[in-house]
Structure formats: structure tokens, C-alpha cells
Amino acid sequence: MISIVDMSSPDAKAPADYAPQPACVVAFAEPAPHQLEPFRLAWTPVPDRAYRIWVRVGGGGGHELHLGQSRLWILEYVQDCAD
């Protein structure tokens, strides 16, 4: 599972596998892709909040996570203050 978590709450964290997603999870892929393939997580950020990427890689051993050619695009919206 891959989750993007809004860390503004003191108990913010990604849930256990296949559990309901709490409100602090703003984007997720569950299960994570099992083959090397493109995928996207997108959300609308709230100003002055921090976000973290949470990753859970299987249970029972033998699981791996491979990331390649990763990109994080940040769009910043600025309100024009000119009168």
C-alpha cells in the first residue's frame, strides 16, 4: 500500500492493509501495483500543511518495492495581492 497522509492531526497515519482509509489519507493505492507500471497519486494540498508518503510492503517476507523515474510535481497557487 502507498498512501499520502496529511500530517496536521496528531494521530495521522496510514491504516493497516485493507482497513478503511481515515480522513488524513488524501490519496492511496491499495494494493500497490505488483508489476513495474506507471501510476499516479494526486490530491489538492491545503496551505501550511505537511504531507508524508507512507509505504507498506507486504507481510511474511520476500516483498520488495521498486521506484523508478519518480516525480513529485508541486503546483503553488498564489493569490494576486495587487489592487
Side-chain angles (χ1 to χ4, degrees):
M1 170 182 33
I2 301 173
S3 301
I4 306 295
V5 177
D6 175 349
M7 299 305 295
S8 62
S9 172
D11 59 343
K13 64 180 181 179
D17 289 338
Y18 302 105
Q21 301 295 323
C24 63
V25 175
V26 296
F28 67 96
E30 181 180 34
H34 282 71
Q35 303 296 325
L36 191 56
E37 62 186 69
F39 79 100
R40 176 184 304 199
L41 296 176
W43 74 99
T44 302
V46 175
D48 301 321
R49 289 203 180 164
Y51 298 88
R52 290 192 179 160
I53 300 171
W54 289 59
V55 178
R56 180 170 291 115
V57 182
H63 293 84
E64 297 177 346
L65 175 67
H66 298 269
L67 297 174
Q69 300 180 350
S70 300
R71 295 182 196 173
L72 175 61
W73 292 353
I74 300 172
L75 302 177
E76 184 174 354
Y77 296 95
V78 178
Q79 185 176 11
D80 186 5
C81 296
D83 290 331

